[in-house]
Amino acid sequence: MPTDRPRSFNDVMPTGGFSSMFSVTDMPTELKVSYWIWLIGGLLGLLAGVVGIFGSFVLFAFAPAVGFVVLLLVLAALAIAAAQIVLAMKMKEGREWARFALTIVAGISLVLVIVNSGAVGGRGGGNWLSFFISLAATVLMWLPNAQAWFAAHRGRV
């Protein structure tokens, strides 16, 4: 388990704010690729969430109960996408707890794709491509060069 876990909400927010989103200096190539995968995935999740909110508003006109459930699911997806962006930025700062949390996000992605595949009767449902992309980003975070980089950043604040 990572020892550099956040102690307060300020420890979770990216150092330098979100303006440092595009700066990836001194990171090994594997971590840069992983960071961009997680960041772009989170941004696409935010975009899809905004579209989903409008879709749930349309559902309210026809089936209010379904629209409310869809709205709740979309809000949860928006929260996860925002968390993914913040976690990617903290991983970029060398925080091992963020790398661990992103690994858990990839595991949750696997569970969701399996459940979704079973829900449609095994007819190819589920977003396997999304899972494999998050799996690749996760593997890149745990390669030896990345391990050494995290070890070098251990203890920095």
Side-chain angles (χ1 to χ4, degrees):
M1 291 295 290
T3 58
D4 65 342
R5 66 186 180 277
R7 308 262 188 245
S8 69
F9 183 73
N10 289 333
D11 292 344
V12 175
M13 295 310 295
T15 304
F18 289 100
S19 62
S20 65
M21 184 180 295
F22 301 107
S23 172
V24 290
T25 57
D26 85 338
M27 291 173 66
T29 304
E30 297 91 339
L31 276 179
K32 287 179 184 178
V33 171
S34 178
Y35 169 74
W36 286 114
I37 290 171
W38 287 116
L39 184 70
I40 291 169
L43 292 172
L44 289 174
L46 288 177
L47 179 64
V50 170
V51 171
I53 286 177
F54 290 122
S56 68
F57 290 157
V58 169
L59 276 175
F60 272 116
F62 301 106
V66 174
F68 181 72
V69 170
V70 168
L71 180 62
L72 289 178
L73 292 172
V74 167
L75 290 175
L78 276 170
I80 291 170
Q84 182 175 327
I85 292 169
V86 171
L87 288 170
M89 293 184 72
K90 292 308 278 188
M91 184 262 306
K92 180 183 70 149
E93 294 173 13
R95 302 291 180 228
E96 291 185 67
W97 62 266
R99 176 174 64 158
F100 188 73
L102 286 169
T103 303
I104 292 171
V105 168
I108 291 170
S109 172
L110 173 62
V111 170
L112 291 175
V113 78
I114 289 171
V115 167
N116 192 20
S117 292
V120 294
R123 292 190 217 161
N127 194 350
W128 285 98
L129 178 62
S130 174
F131 164 70
F132 286 124
I133 290 171
S134 65
L135 178 65
T138 303
V139 168
L140 289 170
M141 291 187 306
W142 293 95
L143 290 176
N145 281 345
Q147 293 276 25
W149 186 80
F150 276 103
H153 281 78
R154 194 171 290 137
R156 289 187 188 178
V157 176

XYZ file of all heavy atoms in Angstrom, residues 64-130:
478
model
N -40.396 10.167 -16.601
C -39.685 10.881 -15.536
C -38.855 9.972 -14.622
O -37.738 10.332 -14.251
C -40.800 11.572 -14.757
C -41.937 11.668 -15.708
C -41.819 10.491 -16.615
N -39.372 8.797 -14.299
C -38.633 7.901 -13.405
C -37.341 7.420 -14.063
O -36.267 7.403 -13.443
C -39.504 6.717 -12.998
N -37.428 7.046 -15.328
C -36.250 6.594 -16.059
C -35.273 7.748 -16.240
O -34.054 7.585 -16.087
C -36.652 5.991 -17.425
C -35.433 5.647 -18.261
C -37.534 4.779 -17.224
N -35.791 8.916 -16.535
C -34.943 10.095 -16.688
C -34.171 10.408 -15.419
O -32.996 10.771 -15.470
N -34.822 10.245 -14.265
C -34.161 10.501 -12.990
C -33.044 9.488 -12.739
O -31.940 9.857 -12.323
C -35.187 10.454 -11.845
C -34.584 10.727 -10.506
C -34.164 11.999 -10.164
C -34.424 9.700 -9.590
C -33.588 12.256 -8.933
C -33.856 9.942 -8.355
C -33.440 11.228 -8.016
N -33.304 8.222 -13.025
C -32.281 7.191 -12.836
C -31.097 7.433 -13.775
O -29.932 7.356 -13.362
C -32.885 5.780 -13.060
C -31.802 4.722 -13.113
C -33.899 5.459 -11.973
N -31.390 7.770 -15.021
C -30.318 8.039 -15.979
C -29.518 9.261 -15.540
O -28.289 9.271 -15.623
C -30.892 8.227 -17.400
C -29.855 8.782 -18.357
C -31.446 6.910 -17.911
N -30.195 10.285 -15.031
C -29.499 11.474 -14.545
C -28.557 11.122 -13.399
O -27.404 11.583 -13.363
C -30.493 12.546 -14.100
C -29.872 13.834 -13.559
C -29.044 14.525 -14.630
C -30.939 14.759 -13.013
N -29.003 10.293 -12.469
C -28.136 9.877 -11.366
C -26.916 9.102 -11.868
O -25.794 9.313 -11.405
C -28.916 9.031 -10.357
C -29.944 9.761 -9.502
C -30.670 8.784 -8.588
C -29.279 10.851 -8.689
N -27.131 8.210 -12.827
C -26.010 7.446 -13.390
C -25.030 8.352 -14.129
O -23.813 8.186 -14.021
C -26.529 6.352 -14.316
C -27.294 5.214 -13.639
C -27.929 4.302 -14.676
C -26.392 4.445 -12.705
N -25.555 9.330 -14.848
C -24.689 10.258 -15.576
C -23.890 11.121 -14.593
O -22.699 11.367 -14.803
C -25.516 11.130 -16.550
C -24.708 12.295 -17.083
C -26.043 10.281 -17.689
N -24.516 11.551 -13.522
C -23.793 12.344 -12.522
C -22.689 11.520 -11.863
O -21.592 12.033 -11.606
C -24.764 12.898 -11.477
C -25.715 13.990 -11.985
C -26.712 14.373 -10.899
C -24.943 15.204 -12.479
N -22.964 10.250 -11.624
C -21.924 9.372 -11.068
C -20.779 9.213 -12.070
O -19.601 9.254 -11.697
C -22.520 8.008 -10.713
N -21.108 9.057 -13.344
C -20.079 8.931 -14.380
C -19.254 10.216 -14.492
O -18.030 10.165 -14.686
C -20.710 8.591 -15.723
N -19.901 11.364 -14.348
C -19.181 12.639 -14.368
C -18.209 12.736 -13.194
O -17.076 13.200 -13.353
C -20.164 13.812 -14.327
C -20.764 14.236 -15.650
C -21.898 15.230 -15.439
C -19.706 14.835 -16.544
N -18.646 12.299 -12.032
C -17.768 12.329 -10.859
C -16.562 11.416 -11.055
O -15.429 11.780 -10.706
C -18.556 11.920 -9.613
N -16.788 10.249 -11.628
C -15.689 9.315 -11.876
C -14.720 9.891 -12.913
O -13.500 9.787 -12.763
C -16.235 7.940 -12.307
C -16.938 7.272 -11.123
C -15.130 7.051 -12.857
C -17.723 6.042 -11.481
N -15.239 10.521 -13.960
C -14.378 11.114 -14.985
C -13.539 12.246 -14.397
O -12.339 12.355 -14.679
C -15.215 11.617 -16.154
N -14.156 13.076 -13.559
C -13.411 14.163 -12.917
C -12.345 13.598 -11.981
O -11.204 14.094 -11.946
C -14.366 15.078 -12.160
N -12.696 12.561 -11.245
C -11.717 11.933 -10.347
C -10.571 11.330 -11.147
O -9.411 11.398 -10.734
C -12.409 10.866 -9.502
N -10.870 10.752 -12.302
C -9.829 10.157 -13.137
C -8.836 11.226 -13.589
O -7.626 10.993 -13.604
C -10.465 9.473 -14.343
C -9.476 8.790 -15.253
C -10.171 8.026 -16.362
O -11.257 7.495 -16.175
N -9.558 7.980 -17.519
N -9.328 12.405 -13.932
C -8.441 13.495 -14.348
C -7.548 13.924 -13.196
O -6.332 14.074 -13.349
C -9.267 14.683 -14.884
C -9.943 14.300 -16.199
C -8.389 15.921 -15.066
C -10.983 15.286 -16.676
N -8.142 14.109 -12.026
C -7.361 14.526 -10.857
C -6.344 13.447 -10.478
O -5.182 13.749 -10.178
C -8.295 14.869 -9.672
C -7.514 15.087 -8.399
C -9.128 16.101 -10.003
N -6.755 12.193 -10.506
C -5.832 11.098 -10.178
C -4.680 11.027 -11.179
O -3.528 10.788 -10.787
C -6.577 9.765 -10.140
C -7.499 9.554 -8.950
C -8.352 8.309 -9.153
C -6.710 9.461 -7.663
N -4.966 11.239 -12.450
C -3.897 11.233 -13.454
C -2.906 12.359 -13.185
O -1.690 12.166 -13.280
C -4.484 11.360 -14.855
N -3.414 13.527 -12.807
C -2.525 14.644 -12.516
C -1.693 14.395 -11.261
O -0.527 14.784 -11.193
C -3.325 15.935 -12.412
C -3.919 16.347 -13.757
S -4.777 17.897 -13.705
C -3.404 19.020 -13.537
N -2.271 13.741 -10.271
C -1.504 13.414 -9.068
C -0.493 12.303 -9.356
O 0.600 12.298 -8.805
C -2.437 13.011 -7.915
C -3.285 14.144 -7.381
C -2.482 15.371 -7.029
C -1.847 15.297 -5.676
N -1.224 16.563 -5.243
N -0.837 11.377 -10.238
C 0.113 10.344 -10.643
C 1.307 10.999 -11.325
O 2.452 10.633 -11.098
C -0.571 9.343 -11.575
C 0.275 8.153 -11.990
S 1.084 8.239 -13.600
C -0.213 8.573 -14.722
N 1.039 12.025 -12.125
C 2.098 12.746 -12.822
C 3.043 13.434 -11.836
O 4.214 13.625 -12.124
C 1.474 13.781 -13.761
C 2.471 14.592 -14.547
C 1.779 15.618 -15.390
C 1.209 16.653 -14.484
N 1.114 17.975 -14.986
N 2.538 13.765 -10.660
C 3.361 14.396 -9.621
C 4.168 13.372 -8.824
O 4.915 13.742 -7.934
C 2.471 15.190 -8.660
C 1.798 16.370 -9.307
C 0.802 17.041 -8.385
O 0.801 16.750 -7.165
O 0.008 17.846 -8.880
N 3.979 12.091 -9.129
C 4.749 11.054 -8.452
C 4.061 10.470 -7.231
O 4.700 9.805 -6.420
N 2.779 10.666 -7.100
C 2.029 10.139 -5.958
C 1.632 8.691 -6.218
O 0.866 8.393 -7.126
C 0.784 10.967 -5.684
C 1.074 12.413 -5.415
C 1.785 12.547 -4.104
N 2.062 13.940 -3.827
C 3.237 14.386 -3.437
N 4.229 13.545 -3.277
N 3.416 15.655 -3.193
N 2.158 7.795 -5.395
C 1.883 6.370 -5.579
C 0.424 6.030 -5.287
O -0.133 5.118 -5.890
C 2.815 5.544 -4.695
C 4.252 5.614 -5.159
C 5.152 4.700 -4.370
O 4.991 3.485 -4.499
O 5.999 5.228 -3.626
N -0.200 6.757 -4.377
C -1.606 6.468 -4.063
C -2.489 6.729 -5.279
O -3.483 6.033 -5.485
C -2.085 7.268 -2.847
C -2.042 8.761 -3.012
C -1.029 9.600 -2.641
C -3.052 9.588 -3.592
N -1.351 10.899 -2.961
C -2.587 10.924 -3.540
C -4.300 9.339 -4.144
C -3.328 12.002 -4.019
C -5.034 10.412 -4.626
C -4.547 11.728 -4.552
N -2.128 7.708 -6.098
C -2.915 7.990 -7.298
C -2.744 6.868 -8.321
O -3.703 6.462 -8.980
C -2.501 9.329 -7.892
N -1.525 6.341 -8.430
C -1.280 5.210 -9.338
C -2.084 3.997 -8.870
O -2.695 3.294 -9.673
C 0.214 4.902 -9.367
C 0.559 3.697 -10.190
C 2.030 3.492 -10.336
N 2.683 3.218 -9.061
C 3.844 2.599 -8.948
N 4.492 2.202 -10.016
N 4.373 2.392 -7.771
N -2.105 3.775 -7.578
C -2.868 2.665 -7.013
C -4.367 2.861 -7.278
O -5.072 1.924 -7.672
C -2.578 2.571 -5.513
C -3.151 1.369 -4.843
C -2.608 0.111 -5.050
C -4.238 1.490 -4.001
C -3.145 -1.010 -4.430
C -4.788 0.385 -3.378
C -4.235 -0.869 -3.592
N -4.859 4.089 -7.095
C -6.281 4.376 -7.326
C -6.650 4.201 -8.799
O -7.726 3.683 -9.119
C -6.617 5.789 -6.852
N -5.760 4.608 -9.705
C -6.032 4.407 -11.134
C -6.051 2.923 -11.493
O -6.816 2.496 -12.361
C -5.007 5.154 -11.982
C -5.185 6.669 -12.033
C -3.974 7.328 -12.670
C -6.461 7.040 -12.762
N -5.234 2.136 -10.806
C -5.263 0.689 -11.012
C -6.620 0.126 -10.586
O -7.187 -0.747 -11.259
C -4.124 0.013 -10.227
O -2.880 0.587 -10.652
C -4.106 -1.481 -10.455
N -7.158 0.635 -9.489
C -8.486 0.211 -9.029
C -9.549 0.636 -10.038
O -10.492 -0.118 -10.317
C -8.769 0.765 -7.620
C -7.839 0.086 -6.612
C -10.224 0.586 -7.233
C -7.861 0.687 -5.225
N -9.404 1.828 -10.618
C -10.349 2.285 -11.646
C -10.350 1.317 -12.829
O -11.404 0.974 -13.367
C -10.010 3.726 -12.100
C -10.768 4.102 -13.353
C -10.296 4.715 -10.987
N -9.172 0.850 -13.221
C -9.098 -0.130 -14.320
C -9.779 -1.434 -13.922
O -10.453 -2.065 -14.746
C -7.651 -0.380 -14.711
N -9.624 -1.863 -12.674
C -10.297 -3.071 -12.202
C -11.804 -2.915 -12.213
O -12.538 -3.832 -12.609
N -12.276 -1.747 -11.799
C -13.716 -1.472 -11.826
C -14.214 -1.465 -13.268
O -15.309 -1.957 -13.561
C -14.026 -0.147 -11.106
C -13.769 -0.295 -9.606
C -15.450 0.306 -11.367
C -13.808 0.998 -8.834
N -13.393 -0.959 -14.175
C -13.748 -0.967 -15.593
C -13.949 -2.394 -16.095
O -14.881 -2.674 -16.854
C -12.649 -0.267 -16.396
O -12.862 -0.399 -17.768
N -13.094 -3.312 -15.661
C -13.246 -4.720 -16.046
C -14.557 -5.284 -15.511
O -15.304 -5.947 -16.242
C -12.072 -5.549 -15.540
C -12.193 -7.067 -15.731
C -12.275 -7.413 -17.207
C -11.035 -7.782 -15.064
N -14.854 -5.029 -14.257
C -16.099 -5.531 -13.664
C -17.304 -4.983 -14.427
O -18.234 -5.730 -14.761
C -16.175 -5.170 -12.170
C -17.547 -5.461 -11.605
C -15.102 -5.905 -11.384
N -17.290 -3.689 -14.739
C -18.426 -3.082 -15.439
C -18.594 -3.640 -16.846
O -19.721 -3.863 -17.296
C -18.265 -1.559 -15.482
C -18.414 -0.855 -14.148
C -18.121 0.637 -14.304
C -19.795 -1.067 -13.563
N -17.496 -3.887 -17.548
C -17.620 -4.414 -18.900
C -18.131 -5.854 -18.877
O -18.906 -6.266 -19.745
C -16.298 -4.255 -19.683
C -15.276 -5.297 -19.304
C -16.545 -4.304 -21.173
N -17.756 -6.630 -17.865
C -18.260 -7.999 -17.746
C -19.746 -7.991 -17.412
O -20.537 -8.729 -18.013
C -17.451 -8.784 -16.696
C -16.047 -9.066 -17.226
C -18.151 -10.085 -16.328
C -15.102 -9.648 -16.197
N -20.146 -7.127 -16.474
C -21.557 -7.036 -16.109
C -22.387 -6.575 -17.306
O -23.451 -7.120 -17.589
C -21.740 -6.087 -14.902
C -23.197 -5.733 -14.698
C -21.160 -6.717 -13.651
N -21.863 -5.583 -18.033
C -22.575 -5.072 -19.198
C -22.679 -6.138 -20.286
O -23.687 -6.244 -20.968
C -21.878 -3.819 -19.732
C -22.713 -3.079 -20.742
O -23.918 -3.246 -20.818
N -22.057 -2.262 -21.537
N -21.638 -6.934 -20.465
C -21.692 -8.009 -21.464
C -22.735 -9.045 -21.086
O -23.447 -9.557 -21.945
C -20.328 -8.690 -21.584
O -19.390 -7.820 -22.135
N -22.843 -9.367 -19.814
C -23.840 -10.325 -19.357
C -25.248 -9.777 -19.428
O -26.203 -10.514 -19.633
N -25.389 -8.462 -19.302
C -26.719 -7.852 -19.297
C -27.376 -7.894 -20.660
O -28.586 -7.905 -20.765
C -26.629 -6.408 -18.808
N -26.591 -7.923 -21.718
C -27.192 -7.954 -23.056
C -27.222 -9.366 -23.626
O -27.310 -9.548 -24.825
C -26.455 -6.988 -24.027
C -26.644 -5.564 -23.604
C -25.009 -7.355 -24.172
N -27.126 -10.344 -22.777
C -27.241 -11.728 -23.223
C -25.987 -12.263 -23.914
O -26.075 -13.181 -24.695
N -24.845 -11.660 -23.637
C -23.597 -12.139 -24.211
C -23.456 -11.876 -25.702
O -22.731 -12.564 -26.387
N -24.149 -10.888 -26.224
C -24.093 -10.589 -27.654
C -23.068 -9.495 -27.974
O -23.321 -8.588 -28.752
C -25.457 -10.117 -28.146
C -26.467 -11.208 -28.112
C -27.700 -10.747 -28.829
N -28.850 -11.279 -28.133
C -30.052 -10.803 -28.256
N -30.272 -9.766 -29.011
N -31.055 -11.337 -27.618
N -21.911 -9.560 -27.337
C -20.868 -8.588 -27.650
C -21.048 -7.259 -26.971
O -20.430 -6.283 -27.358
N -21.929 -7.183 -26.002
C -22.121 -5.929 -25.289
C -20.923 -5.625 -24.411
O -20.048 -6.446 -24.187
N -20.876 -4.456 -23.907
C -19.754 -4.051 -23.062
C -18.711 -3.338 -23.889
O -18.544 -3.613 -25.073
N -18.017 -2.456 -23.278
C -17.015 -1.667 -23.977
C -15.638 -2.249 -23.700
O -14.874 -1.737 -22.895
C -17.108 -0.206 -23.546
C -16.344 0.697 -24.467
O -15.589 0.239 -25.322
N -16.536 1.984 -24.297
N -15.322 -3.349 -24.385
C -14.048 -4.032 -24.172
C -12.883 -3.179 -24.622
O -11.809 -3.218 -24.012
C -14.047 -5.375 -24.891
C -14.871 -6.395 -24.165
C -16.151 -6.754 -24.439
C -14.486 -7.146 -23.012
N -16.593 -7.695 -23.536
C -15.577 -7.953 -22.649
C -13.325 -7.215 -22.249
C -15.543 -8.817 -21.560
C -13.287 -8.077 -21.166
C -14.391 -8.863 -20.835
N -13.043 -2.395 -25.663
C -11.961 -1.541 -26.136
C -11.545 -0.554 -25.048
O -10.358 -0.362 -24.790
C -12.379 -0.796 -27.408
C -11.341 0.163 -27.979
C -10.087 -0.605 -28.388
C -11.913 0.937 -29.150
N -12.516 0.038 -24.402
C -12.227 0.971 -23.314
C -11.461 0.277 -22.189
O -10.512 0.834 -21.629
C -13.533 1.559 -22.782
O -13.295 2.343 -21.646
